């Protein structure tokens, strides 16, 4: 089934003029038991279907009453068990009352709409791996969901109902299933103008879509799940970046302890903060020789056992690995982190002799270029080159260099950022990509490749001042399957050889000698096959840019969760807790095949998505003239784009100060996720429309003085662009 077929079907059901439910011919085609038994308040049809090996479902359609008297559509709870006018006395509807008891159904039961419900019934007993499983797997469903009921608590034992398949005419049986279901979904009402044939198509499409989302994703573990406690070193800077982490921990039944500085926003024992974490351990996080011992002491002094420790802050990777090693907690080797955070050492994993060097100053660069001056005398710059800090993130102070004069400028910029050395390396020409992995003992449980379109510094006319700040990200990748396989196998081997065998890893790379290139075709810039490339050509190589031993930042992790149904933050915490069974169970992507393509490289995404970064258009003070946040204002102003935007996150509020650049990288004010079930090209086109339509008012000051920080105490890959 092609997911792209859904929008047109949905439009047909919602707007196409069709025969009403009184049509005799339509009724004859469907053969449903639509007669109204004496015990029914409203006619309904229920059917139990074997969805897959893991689940059965019960689809229930509730029709309007045949009476034209409006009062007869009031629920029984409002009529004290009495039927409406013209009906006489009638018993309550057990099914409708069961729905109302869990907060579903309608307070008015409109006479002009058809209500549709789906009950999710796991096929076997088990223990709940994640309490918000349905919310995760059904996000951005092509048919609108009004409400979802998920009664299960994390880790609890669930006993399967195991009903017989086929039609269900007893409301009492359906009511019992409501009470025993693992979840119930109420879909958006359908108009009564929908024919029986179209309603049958709707039920079929609904079932097929549910199968694509659920058939390979176990909600339950066959064995009991021990409750565990994990410590997050460095809490998130705000609820926007931290919310997905805290909510995932709660849904997984993980008790979360935060280790951070005095004054962090999660420190206070407010009721809201207690929803996000179990405890806050005040710790001096100064990055000195004693920080590891201080973190260890905080964890040892906590009265409850700690089963895992992790961080999402790049400059604490090594320290946290040392903490885990000292306490005997699950973690990759310290040596692996020490290599990954040093961009010179990680570059040497794919060394190009004579083209890679490390310098601490412009003077050392000059010495390096002097023949025979030191052991690196073999270094011979071949332009273009890349210069970047050995310790850095978010494309900060990364420069493309085309001549010796610019080389000195780039080294000065890189060494001034964090007080660290600069690495000089080759510029690898080819499509850039983000390759994300979830590994378990070296096995790839899940991996995806996202394409990063060319940025300013990729241009042939780029200067040393051009930036590598990303402008967008497109999922899934358009690279051919064989090149994606090369990227995954090359980078996976690098990770495992370093010692990174279990966890979530965000790796940036380029595909050199790719058969694809970015080209403008009819106004859309995307990857297409090179004109000069033949099927006999070969030689594609994956070249590592950097390793991040963590999930991608919030801006990318949440779009992946929407596109594939895989939550990197959840996987990261389960790996830290050593919960290998749930790590395997919770990393199953959807089973969609986009555009009918059976290429496994495109399997799993429910749509093509385009993550659009919005850079600050000017320096100054943020204003909201309309009193609406810019993402919300855009969706109200452009309703034709609104239903294509599944995420919109603003970073700034009125009064915030923004600069055009922050530490050598573009300052962002928002990001949006735009999706298409029609084509990748359509997703890119929509993303460009959204980027052009986005408007933020920035009041320019009389003068703006740029300041360059000489260091920072914490690194947040999701750092917002506003001060």
């Amino acid at each position: 089934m092609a997911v792209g077929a859904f929008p047109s079907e949905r439009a047909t059901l919602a707007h196409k003029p069709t025969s009403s439910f009184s049509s005799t011919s339509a009724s004859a085609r469907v053969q449903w038991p639509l007669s109204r038994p004496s015990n029914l308040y409203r006619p309904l049809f229920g059917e139990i279907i074997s969805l897959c090996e893991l689940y059965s479902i019960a689809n229930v359609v509730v029709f309007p009453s045949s009476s034209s008297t409006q009062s007869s559509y009031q629920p029984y709870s409002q009529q004290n068990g009495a039927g409406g006018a013209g009906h006489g006395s009638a018993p309550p509807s057990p099914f409708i009352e069961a729905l109302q008891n869990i907060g579903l159904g309608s307070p008015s039961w409109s006479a002009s709409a058809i209500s549709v419900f789906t009950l999710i019934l796991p096929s076997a007993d088990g223990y709940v791996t994640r309490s918000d499983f349905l919310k995760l797997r059904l996000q951005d469903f092509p048919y609108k969901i009004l409400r979802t009921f998920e009664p299960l608590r994390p880790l609890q034992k669930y006993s399967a109902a195991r009903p017989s398949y086929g039609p269900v005419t007893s409301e009492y049986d359906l009511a019992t299933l409501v009470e025993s279901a693992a979840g119930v979904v109420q879909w958006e009402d359908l108009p009564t103008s929908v024919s029986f044939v179209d309603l049958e198509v709707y039920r079929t499409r609904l079932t097929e879509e549910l199968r694509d989302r659920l058939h390979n994703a176990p909600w339950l573990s066959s064995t009991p799940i021990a409750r565990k406690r994990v410590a997050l070193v460095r809490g998130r800077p705000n609820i926007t970046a931290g919310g997905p982490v805290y909510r995932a921990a709660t849904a997984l039944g993980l008790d979360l302890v935060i280790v951070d500085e005095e004054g962090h926003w999660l420190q206070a024992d407010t009721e809201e903060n207690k929803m996000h974490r179990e405890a806050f351990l005040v710790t001096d996080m100064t990055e000195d020789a004693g920080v590891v011992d201080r973190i260890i002491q905080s964890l040892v002094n906590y009265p409850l056992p700690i089963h895992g420790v992790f961080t999402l802050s790049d400059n604490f990777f090594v320290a946290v690995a040392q903490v885990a090693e000292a306490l005997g907690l699950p973690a990759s080797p310290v040596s692996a982190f020490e290599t990954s955070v040093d961009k010179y050492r990680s570059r040497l994993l794919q060394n190009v002799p004579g083209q890679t060097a490390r310098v601490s100053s412009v003077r050392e660069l000059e010495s390096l270029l002097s023949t025979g001056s030191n052991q690196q005398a073999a270094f011979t710059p071949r332009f273009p080159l890349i210069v970047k800090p050995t310790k850095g993130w978010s494309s900060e102070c990364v420069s493309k260099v085309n001549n010796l004069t610019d080389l000195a400028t780039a080294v000065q910029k890189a060494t001034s950022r964090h007080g660290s050395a600069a690495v000089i390396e080759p510029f690898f020409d080819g499509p850039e990509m983000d390759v994300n992995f979830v590994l378990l003992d070296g096995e790839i449980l899940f991996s995806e490749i996202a394409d990063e379109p060319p940025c300013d510094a990729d241009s042939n006319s780029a200067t040393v001042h051009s930036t590598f700040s990303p402008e967008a990200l497109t999922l899934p990748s358009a690279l051919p399957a064989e090149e994606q396989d090369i990227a995954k196998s090359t980078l996976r081997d690098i990770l495992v050889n370093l010692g990174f065998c279990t966890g979530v890893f965000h790796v940036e790379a380029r595909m050199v000698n790719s058969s694809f290139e970015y080209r403008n075709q009819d106004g859309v810039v995307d990857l297409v096959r090179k004109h000069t490339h033949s099927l006999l050509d070969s030689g594609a190589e994956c070249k590592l840019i950097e390793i991040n031993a963590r999930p991608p930042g919030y801006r990318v992790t949440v779009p992946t969760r929407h596109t594939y149904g895989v939550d990197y933050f959840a996987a990261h915490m389960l790996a830290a807790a050593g919960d290998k069974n749930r790590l395997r169970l919770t990393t199953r992507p959807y089973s969609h095949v986009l555009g009918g393509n059976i290429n496994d490289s495109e399997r799993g995404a429910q749509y093509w998505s385009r993550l659009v970064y919005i850079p600050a258009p000017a320096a100054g003070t943020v204003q909201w003239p309309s009193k609406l946040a810019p993402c919300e204002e855009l969706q109200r102003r452009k309703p034709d784009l609104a239903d294509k935007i599944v995420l919109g996150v603003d970073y700034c509020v009125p009064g915030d100060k923004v600069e055009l650049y922050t530490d050598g990288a573009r300052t962002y004010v928002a990001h949006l996720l735009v999706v298409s079930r029609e084509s990748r090209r359509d997703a890119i086109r929509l993303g460009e429309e959204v980027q052009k339509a986005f408007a933020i008012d920035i009041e320019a000051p009389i003068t703006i003085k740029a300041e360059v920080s000489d260091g920072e105490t914490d690194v947040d890959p999701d750092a917002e662009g506003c001060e």
Side-chain angles (χ1 to χ4, degrees), residues 139-456:
Q139 60 194 343
D140 305 335
F141 203 93
Y143 295 160
K144 184 176 179 181
I145 296 172
L146 289 184
R147 302 177 190 88
T148 302
F149 175 67
E150 290 187 81
L152 303 183
R153 301 184 306 278
L155 318 185
Q156 84 169 85
K157 174 71 179 293
Y158 171 82
S159 297
R162 299 181 179 86
S164 299
Y165 305 135
V168 182
T169 57
S170 167
E171 286 212 58
Y172 293 99
D173 290 346
L174 286 175
T176 300
L177 285 179
V178 169
E179 295 169 358
S180 60
V184 183
V185 182
Q186 179 176 1
W187 308 98
E188 183 177 44
D189 287 350
L190 301 177
T192 54
S193 58
V194 174
S195 71
F196 288 159
V197 171
D198 282 344
L199 184 55
E200 179 73 349
V201 170
Y202 175 89
R203 291 195 318 123
T204 300
R205 298 294 193 195
L206 194 68
T207 300
E208 291 174 344
E209 178 69 15
L210 285 169
R211 185 177 293 115
D212 279 345
R213 291 168 179 268
L214 299 179
H215 89 93
N216 67 337
W219 192 343
L220 307 174
S221 166
S222 60
T223 57
I225 304 170
R227 192 170 189 95
K228 294 188 176 183
R229 181 173 292 99
V230 292
L232 169 60
V233 175
R234 282 302 207 189
R236 304 280 71 206
N238 50 53
I239 190 60
T240 299
V245 182
Y246 311 137
R247 288 191 290 271
T250 299
L252 292 167
L254 291 172
D255 298 317
L256 188 63
V257 174
I258 307 296
V259 180
D260 212 326
E261 298 270 12
E262 177 84 34
H264 189 276
W265 65 278
L266 275 177
Q267 179 181 352
D269 273 331
T270 62
E271 290 304 312
E272 182 177 355
N273 283 351
K274 289 178 182 179
M275 293 172 58
H276 303 314
R277 54 49 169 193
E278 178 183 82
F280 186 94
L281 308 183
V282 177
T283 308
D284 179 359
M285 303 301 293
T286 304
E287 295 179 58
D288 56 22
V291 68
V292 172
D293 290 337
R294 293 193 297 272
I295 296 172
I296 290 173
Q297 198 60 47
S298 291
L299 297 178
V300 169
N301 289 342
Y302 192 63
L304 299 173
I306 301 292
H307 302 96
V309 59
F310 71 103
T311 187
L312 296 167
S313 297
D314 292 28
N315 54 333
F316 276 86
F317 286 160
V318 174
V320 170
Q322 292 171 332
V323 169
E325 182 179 75
L327 297 178
L329 301 176
S332 297
V334 174
S335 60
F337 288 99
E338 289 174 335
T339 298
S340 69
V341 300
D342 186 318
K343 289 181 170 51
Y344 176 65
R345 292 175 61 177
S346 60
R347 173 74 271 135
L348 295 181
L349 298 172
Q350 288 182 314
N351 187 31
V352 179
Q355 296 184 54
T356 303
R358 181 182 186 276
V359 295
S360 299
S361 65
V362 173
R363 178 174 297 181
E364 188 174 334
L365 171 67
E366 294 170 347
S367 177
L368 172 65
L369 296 174
S370 300
T371 303
S373 61
N374 55 40
Q375 293 181 355
Q376 298 186 76
F379 174 74
T380 303
R382 298 178 186 177
F383 300 104
L385 289 169
I386 295 294
V387 177
K388 57 190 178 185
T390 56
K391 175 186 178 183
W393 34 82
S394 301
S395 302
E396 294 176 357
C397 299
V398 179
S399 306
K400 184 179 179 182
V401 176
N402 293 297
N403 54 63
L404 286 174
T405 301
D406 287 347
L407 182 57
T409 301
V411 167
Q412 174 62 34
K413 181 168 63 172
T415 55
S416 66
R417 173 64 186 108
H418 298 291
S420 65
V423 57
I424 305 170
E425 64 183 31
F427 170 73
F428 298 114
D429 193 12
E432 184 168 351
M433 52 193 168
D434 287 353
V435 187
N436 300 312
F437 294 93
V438 182
L439 299 180
L440 175 57
D441 296 330
E443 175 191 353
I444 298 176
L445 297 183
F446 173 73
S447 181
E448 59 148 338
I449 297 180
D451 297 323
E452 192 170 301
C455 57
D456 289 344

Side-chain angles (χ1 to χ4, degrees), residues 690-706:
V690 165
Q691 194 158 34
K692 290 176 183 177
F694 188 92
I696 184 170
D697 189 48
I698 297 180
E699 183 178 290
I702 297 176
T703 59
I704 294 181
K705 186 182 296 183

Side-chain angles (χ1 to χ4, degrees), residues 55 70 154 180 189 214 299 303 359 386 432 460 472 525 536 558 620 640 680:
Y55 305 97
Q70 184 62 35
S180 60
D189 287 350
L214 299 179
L299 297 178
V359 295
I386 295 294
E432 184 168 351
N460 291 331
V525 176
L536 298 178
V558 174
D640 57 319
R680 174 184 165 102

